[in-house]
Amino acid sequence: MARLDRVATGRYHHGDLPRAVLDVTADLVAESGPFSWSLREIARRAGVSHAAPAHHFGDKAGLLRTLATEGFELLDAAFAAAEVDAAGRSAAERHLAQGMAYLAFAREHPGHYDVMFRRGLFEPDDAYLEVAARTFVRLVESAERVVAEAGAGDADDLAVASWALVHGLAGLTAEGFVEPVDDADLERRLLWACLLPAGS
Amino acid sequence: MARLDRVATGRYHHGDLPRAVLDVTADLVAESGPFSWSLREIARRAGVSHAAPAHHFGDKAGLLRTLATEGFELLDAAFAAAEVDAAGRSAAERHLAQGMAYLAFAREHPGHYDVMFRRGLFEPDDAYLEVAARTFVRLVESAERVVAEAGAGDADDLAVASWALVHGLAGLTAEGFVEPVDDADLERRLLWACLLPAGS
DNA sequence: TGTACATCAGTGAACGCGCGTTCACTGATGTAC
DNA sequence: TGTACATCAGTGAACGCGCGTTCACTGATGTAC
């Protein structure tokens, strides 16, 4: 699309190449993971010369770091919106709503998601660490509200378990091991994880 | 290690190169994922000429398929051992034991694990499909026993939720987002996922 | 036990290719006056 | 409004490198007799 734009207009300057490069990267990561492509491939898809992406992002690590940081911004915004939507309901219901928002984010931004939760792709910088920490705080605070409401349990354990549940579901669904289902079924799945302790 | 063997003995034939190549591959995948290495790198680490791995596995996809198949064999055996260990206990307790076995496998075989639950790395063959299906059946049957014991719930939903929980925990721990804990704490985490429905 | 021969495992040189990086450049934009 | 100039965005040729693959080969092993 970016290529068509440029071919059509014949512009020398792209207009917003960083944006186009990030979009292409997100697509490529969603298609084949965070490794199986080159900066030249990204340049080709964006319709620019092979050296252009490096002009903005330096190298592959810089590109992935920017994508991951943008991903956390999006996830944090999704959490904030879910909190507004579920205001006034019980802590447990708000926690469930947050989990559903997480799964919706993973489904809608598979490229960002894949890069966000993998270590070793890049060295984190301040912007990345700040927004990632901010997002995790929302998760822990939600768990704390649930524990306070229930009057029992450890908030950190609940936060980890909740995160693991949605993270695992997102991963298995993205890789095709689990069929996608509609939101009502999805909520039921999150809730039925609890059958296990009922029996012990 | 393989290299030292060969240097020490000066043998022309390796002895068991397929085994050595798989071990090196598992190490490399655990270190840097299923993409960031080459067949030449594997040959170097195994101490053989660069063309030797292809002699046995064809290409990277064939190597990854063999590794994934071996991984499912190991996981299936771990499930079987857990079933024997927990024989006679309640269905819920046996299900928990299976989850703990899953997490132990992921911790002990990170290279295999990474390759097993990712699609698109290779085209599955009969051996892979057979053992993967066999392993999944153990998971679903365990969930069915729990549902039968509890007299309520949907076995597929429980199977998916349980799998997602341990898969997510394995992934987040492997990537360093969650600190490893000892087995007692780990069991508690799996159980406390249930605080959520208690509040709704 | 010895010999001949087929088969298999691994070698190493050669190839073409796509990659990341560099760098002098050109085109476009924005700002000062 | 026009002009000059600095800055920025993107180009394209060139480079060296590691890669997968090919292929004629050599060393080792196993089996038939």
Side-chain angles (χ1 to χ4, degrees):
Chain A
M1 195 155 55
R3 162 162 248 139
L4 292 178
D5 285 352
R6 178 154 171 278
V7 167
T9 62
R11 278 176 296 152
Y12 188 96
H13 282 187
H14 179 280
D16 192 356
L17 183 55
R19 178 72 268 150
V21 165
L22 284 172
D23 290 346
V24 167
T25 305
D27 287 349
L28 278 169
V29 172
E31 281 173 31
S32 53
F35 302 100
S36 306
W37 41 265
S38 62
L39 288 178
R40 288 193 181 231
E41 169 73 12
I42 284 176
R44 277 192 293 272
R45 288 217 191 186
V48 292
S49 76
H50 64 265
H55 189 71
H56 293 280
F57 296 100
D59 55 13
K60 200 184 282 194
L63 182 48
L64 292 176
R65 176 169 40 237
T66 306
L67 192 66
T69 303
E70 184 177 72
F72 274 108
E73 292 286 0
L74 290 167
L75 178 56
D76 192 60
F79 277 176
E83 284 176 20
V84 169
D85 278 358
R89 296 164 65 190
S90 76
E93 283 171 330
R94 279 181 287 160
H95 197 59
L96 178 61
Q98 187 184 70
M100 293 294 288
Y102 186 100
L103 288 168
F105 170 80
R107 192 192 319 123
E108 288 157 18
H109 302 281
H112 289 82
Y113 188 84
D114 200 2
V115 163
M116 289 161 68
F117 295 108
R118 207 182 293 267
R119 283 281 166 84
L121 296 177
F122 53 85
E123 287 298 309
D125 62 4
D126 288 348
Y128 169 87
L129 291 172
E130 187 275 326
V131 65
R134 184 152 37 90
T135 308
F136 291 148
V137 163
R138 287 193 193 272
L139 175 63
V140 172
E141 286 180 347
S142 180
E144 284 170 348
R145 286 192 294 266
V146 173
V147 168
E149 184 181 74
D154 180 274
D156 283 340
D157 276 346
L158 176 61
V160 167
S162 309
W163 186 15
L165 179 59
V166 290
H167 181 67
L169 202 46
L172 292 174
T173 306
E175 295 293 338
F177 288 100
V178 167
E179 294 285 312
V181 296
D182 64 30
D183 278 1
D185 288 344
L186 202 52
E187 284 203 355
R188 206 184 60 241
R189 276 186 178 167
L190 295 190
L191 293 174
W192 280 3
C194 69
L195 261 183
L196 183 56
S200 67
Chain B
M1 196 154 55
R3 161 163 252 142
L4 292 178
D5 285 353
R6 178 155 171 278
V7 168
T9 64
R11 279 177 296 154
Y12 188 98
H13 281 189
H14 180 280
D16 193 356
L17 183 54
R19 178 72 268 151
V21 165
L22 284 173
D23 290 345
V24 167
T25 305
D27 286 349
L28 278 169
V29 173
E31 280 172 31
S32 53
F35 301 101
S36 304
W37 41 265
S38 62
L39 288 179
R40 288 194 182 231
E41 169 73 11
I42 284 175
R44 276 192 293 273
R45 288 217 191 186
V48 292
S49 76
H50 64 266
H55 189 72
H56 293 280
F57 297 101
D59 55 13
K60 201 183 283 194
L63 182 50
L64 292 176
R65 175 169 41 237
T66 306
L67 193 65
T69 303
E70 183 177 73
F72 274 108
E73 294 286 0
L74 290 168
L75 178 57
D76 193 61
F79 278 176
E83 283 176 21
V84 169
D85 278 356
R89 296 163 65 189
S90 76
E93 282 170 331
R94 280 182 285 162
H95 196 60
L96 178 61
Q98 188 183 69
M100 293 294 288
Y102 186 100
L103 287 168
F105 169 80
R107 191 191 320 124
E108 289 158 18
H109 302 279
H112 289 81
Y113 188 83
D114 200 3
V115 161
M116 289 161 69
F117 295 108
R118 207 183 293 268
R119 285 279 165 84
L121 296 177
F122 54 85
E123 286 299 308
D125 62 4
D126 288 348
Y128 169 88
L129 291 172
E130 187 274 326
V131 65
R134 183 151 40 87
T135 307
F136 291 147
V137 163
R138 287 192 193 271
L139 175 64
V140 172
E141 285 181 348
S142 179
E144 284 170 348
R145 286 192 295 265
V146 173
V147 168
E149 184 180 74
D154 180 275
D156 283 342
D157 277 346
L158 176 61
V160 167
S162 309
W163 186 15
L165 179 59
V166 289
H167 181 68
L169 203 46
L172 292 175
T173 306
E175 295 293 338
F177 288 101
V178 167
E179 294 286 311
V181 295
D182 64 30
D183 279 1
D185 289 343
L186 201 51
E187 284 204 356
R188 205 184 60 240
R189 276 187 177 166
L190 295 190
L191 293 173
W192 280 4
C194 68
L195 261 184
L196 183 57
S200 68

